[in-house]
Amino acid sequence: MPTETFEFQVEARQLLQLMIHSVYSNKDVFLRELVSNASDALDKLRLEKLWDDSLDADVSDPHIEIDVDKDARTLTVRDNGIGMSYDEVGRLIGTIANSGTAKFLQELREAKDAAGEEGLIGQFGVGFYSGFMVADEVTLLTRRAGESHGTRWTSRGEGTYTLETVDDAPQGTSVVLHLKPADPENQLHDYTSPWKIREIIKRYSDFITWPIRMVPESPATADDSGATPEPETLNSMKALWARPRDEVSDDEYHELYKHIGHDWRDPLETIRLQAEGTFEYQALLFLPEHAPHDLFTRDFKRGVQLYVKRVFIMDDCEALLPPYLRFVKGVVDAADLSLNVSREILQQDRHIELMRRRLTKKVLSTVKDMMTKDQDRYATFWREFGTVLKEGLITDSENRDAILAVASFAGTHDDSEPTTLKQYVERMKDGQEDIYYLTGESRQSIENSPHMEAFRARGIEVLLLTDPVDEVWTDAVGEFEGKRLRSVAKGQIDLDTEREDASGDEREKQTEEYSGLLGWMKEQLDEDIKDVRLSSRLTVSPACVVSDANDLTPALENMYRAMGQEVPRAKRILELNPDHQLVKGLNQAYREREDRTELAETAELLHGLAVLAEGGQPKEPARFVKLMADRLERAL
């Protein structure tokens, strides 16, 4: 048949111009696309041969071959797969059928800048047309398995293409790219360079099932005997996640982790997952042994590597795991995703959401298994990643119970061993209705807090929470197994109900006795506090400041301000210990003196001491120091 010339359909012509002239920076993906197409062709030939044993096709050595000719500046990607017929070439290459091209181009016209164009290219499957990013002319030679004639397709990407039938085409498909001159400034590399080819294959196609071979550069490389050296196989073909567990050693898993996790240490745990059914995917995840130094920085690269049928698609795919699991490294290989997907598309993809939920539950169940079967490894994990995992208590209500089940906290029950909430509940005293906790900068500062005095005296366990995130998740969670989480520094806490010798009459008498002092102090300190009351949580200290039950704590206020969110400063409550000699003396002086000028200074000092005791600082530190110095001087 003679050579025929055809015009591309309008949308295809527009897409070609976009490919040729676009600012798409990562032009290396053209080779990934062509290798992926070749791999699909080999897969299809294998299946068709299984269905039809009489098919006249060579399946003895399925492979992909890359041939570089530096003198002619051509790059050829060749496979001996299923190939295409004349009609298939015209239908699949000459047009862009069922691809959503019209919608794609409409979105492109609405994109107002180059960055928008690049994002749209990422959303559309560039596939075969990506070759025009690096080539002035593309020639495709193909013969379908079982047919005697082949087809040659040629185009310069300028609106037309030619088709002709040829007699001597080998089985499969070869794509010859007549390369543009190298232009490093525009990320157009020299794709005749063997090291560049190796780099691209290693990055994107290392785990392709079929061998990818590179033919020696030229006959000049032949040895003295005249024999041409064997082609070099560029890919490892070792997709560890696709092989049975008993065929892979721990060392092989660890090497893969070190490669993708950029870590010189072995992982703490290896997690395998294989999902079958309507949506198939495989995952190989790793829990590191040590937290990276930049885990809490804004620029931390989170997410796992995404593959589609062993073809590398994306590093740090954030859509596959929630932010609180950002330390997890690994590979997810999906069978039914498009090769070219943007991060925006992934966030909306139903399959990705299903994978995210399944992977999240698998990681949490693995941590749970470590907790029950290997306490030492669990302790290592929680020490390194417990703080970030607790972020999920705020952001992931679906898995909140699973996170609580693997969380552990320091507490007053044991100085060295942490406790779970379940263990805490099992140890609660008769009549105790709440789980008590206190937040602070360190265990030592919390244990020395005046808020702890009554709990220590009564032997009531308190959780000691020292991570900034603890200020937030405790409010978000609210309760555990029907037991309310209560801060010992917030609200009115009356532990007298748990003391057999407590006397309600005694408390009423004290309240009446101190009512005048309490009202007067509230007036004196009105700018700084909302109320003054007697305390049931103090046994040693004269006073403490507490937040109202529904108010933000000072630490939480500061956290929000550090994030740029301005919140009103909440007034706090001053609690006095009626059994302390200083408070008794203050009450007596209030009753006896008419001139209460010095007494007002004493009240101000008492409030400042209470603020200092919890780790804060007085509103006017210089004034507080002056008042304290004056009092010390008079006491000498």
Side-chain angles (χ1 to χ4, degrees), residues 401-455:
D401 290 343
I403 298 172
L404 284 175
V406 300
S408 57
F409 313 95
T412 55
H413 175 72
D414 193 302
D415 291 340
S416 56
E417 292 297 323
T419 182
T420 64
L421 292 182
K422 186 175 182 62
Q423 291 169 335
Y424 180 103
V425 170
E426 291 172 351
R427 290 192 297 265
M428 284 173 58
K429 290 181 173 294
D430 292 340
Q432 182 181 340
E433 297 296 329
D434 301 323
I435 298 172
Y436 293 110
Y437 70 89
L438 183 57
T439 59
E441 292 185 357
S442 67
R443 180 181 184 119
Q444 183 178 7
S445 66
I446 296 175
E447 288 183 324
N448 291 331
S449 169
H451 300 110
M452 295 285 293
E453 292 174 3
F455 293 87

Side-chain angles (χ1 to χ4, degrees), residues 457-481:
R458 292 162 173 77
I460 298 174
E461 184 175 357
V462 178
L463 301 178
L464 312 176
L465 309 180
T466 57
D467 293 324
V469 70
D470 294 327
E471 294 279 357
V472 186
W473 76 258
T474 45
D475 284 336
V477 171
E479 65 173 37
F480 176 76
E481 293 187 355

Side-chain angles (χ1 to χ4, degrees), residues 33-71:
E33 296 293 327
L34 297 181
V35 167
S36 177
N37 289 346
S39 177
D40 285 344
L42 291 168
D43 288 336
K44 289 175 182 176
L45 177 62
R46 179 181 60 179
L47 288 174
E48 193 150 333
K49 186 67 173 175
L50 288 173
W51 294 334
D52 182 6
D53 190 51
S54 64
L55 179 67
D56 182 17
D58 179 12
V59 292
S60 60
D61 181 26
H63 65 277
I64 301 165
E65 195 172 84
I66 299 176
D67 191 356
V68 172
D69 187 331
K70 283 196 171 186
D71 294 333

Side-chain angles (χ1 to χ4, degrees), residues 189-438:
H189 303 288
D190 181 6
Y191 295 110
T192 65
S193 172
W195 73 263
K196 185 61 181 176
I197 301 298
R198 291 188 189 96
E199 177 190 75
I200 298 174
I201 296 299
K202 189 68 177 176
R203 175 168 176 78
Y204 290 107
S205 308
D206 191 47
F207 302 120
I208 290 288
T209 309
W210 312 104
I212 304 171
R213 300 167 184 161
M214 184 161 63
V215 179
E217 297 178 48
S218 70
T221 59
D223 56 29
D224 295 338
S225 65
T228 302
E230 287 293 319
E232 174 188 358
T233 299
L234 304 180
N235 60 322
S236 70
M237 297 175 283
K238 290 184 177 180
L240 301 184
W241 56 87
R243 294 163 58 186
R245 176 66 183 90
D246 55 6
E247 292 182 8
V248 185
S249 69
D250 288 341
D251 288 341
E252 287 180 295
Y253 282 137
H254 295 172
E255 284 303 314
L256 178 62
Y257 163 73
K258 292 173 184 177
H259 171 67
I260 62 179
H262 307 291
D263 192 354
W264 56 270
R265 293 165 290 222
D266 291 338
L268 184 67
E269 184 66 35
T270 301
I271 305 172
R272 287 177 54 93
L273 179 63
Q274 180 161 338
E276 298 178 345
T278 55
F279 183 63
E280 297 183 0
Y281 62 92
Q282 297 166 315
L284 184 59
L285 306 179
F286 302 97
L287 303 182
E289 189 173 7
H290 295 275
H293 68 279
D294 56 348
L295 181 61
F296 292 97
T297 64
R298 181 177 298 178
D299 298 329
F300 180 73
K301 298 291 186 183
R302 67 180 179 89
V304 298
Q305 292 185 351
L306 175 63
Y307 284 73
V308 174
K309 297 178 182 176
R310 302 193 183 187
V311 177
F312 176 77
I313 301 299
M314 191 181 299
D315 245 336
D316 310 314
C317 184
E318 299 176 357
L320 287 170
L321 285 171
Y324 67 89
L325 295 180
R326 58 185 176 270
F327 54 86
V328 177
K329 299 298 180 183
V331 172
V332 175
D333 190 352
D336 301 311
L337 287 177
S338 167
L339 279 181
N340 284 274
V341 284
S342 68
R343 295 183 186 273
E344 292 76 21
I345 290 293
L346 285 176
Q347 291 170 357
Q348 302 168 13
D349 190 280
R350 183 178 64 87
H351 289 150
I352 289 292
E353 178 59 27
L354 291 173
M355 291 165 63
R356 176 189 175 105
R357 295 173 67 180
R358 178 84 183 274
L359 293 171
T360 299
K361 293 183 183 299
K362 182 65 175 179
V363 171
L364 294 176
S365 66
T366 300
V367 176
K368 179 69 173 177
D369 288 342
M370 278 199 299
M371 190 180 199
T372 55
K373 298 175 182 177
D374 194 330
Q375 274 291 321
D376 289 341
R377 285 168 64 238
Y378 164 77
T380 299
F381 170 83
W382 190 256
R383 181 182 67 247
E384 297 293 323
F385 302 108
T387 300
V388 66
L389 198 69
K390 284 186 287 188
E391 294 174 10
L393 296 172
I394 307 165
T395 60
D396 189 357
S397 58
E398 180 182 349
N399 291 298
R400 183 172 289 166
D401 290 343
I403 298 172
L404 284 175
V406 300
S408 57
F409 313 95
T412 55
H413 175 72
D414 193 302
D415 291 340
S416 56
E417 292 297 323
T419 182
T420 64
L421 292 182
K422 186 175 182 62
Q423 291 169 335
Y424 180 103
V425 170
E426 291 172 351
R427 290 192 297 265
M428 284 173 58
K429 290 181 173 294
D430 292 340
Q432 182 181 340
E433 297 296 329
D434 301 323
I435 298 172
Y436 293 110
Y437 70 89
L438 183 57

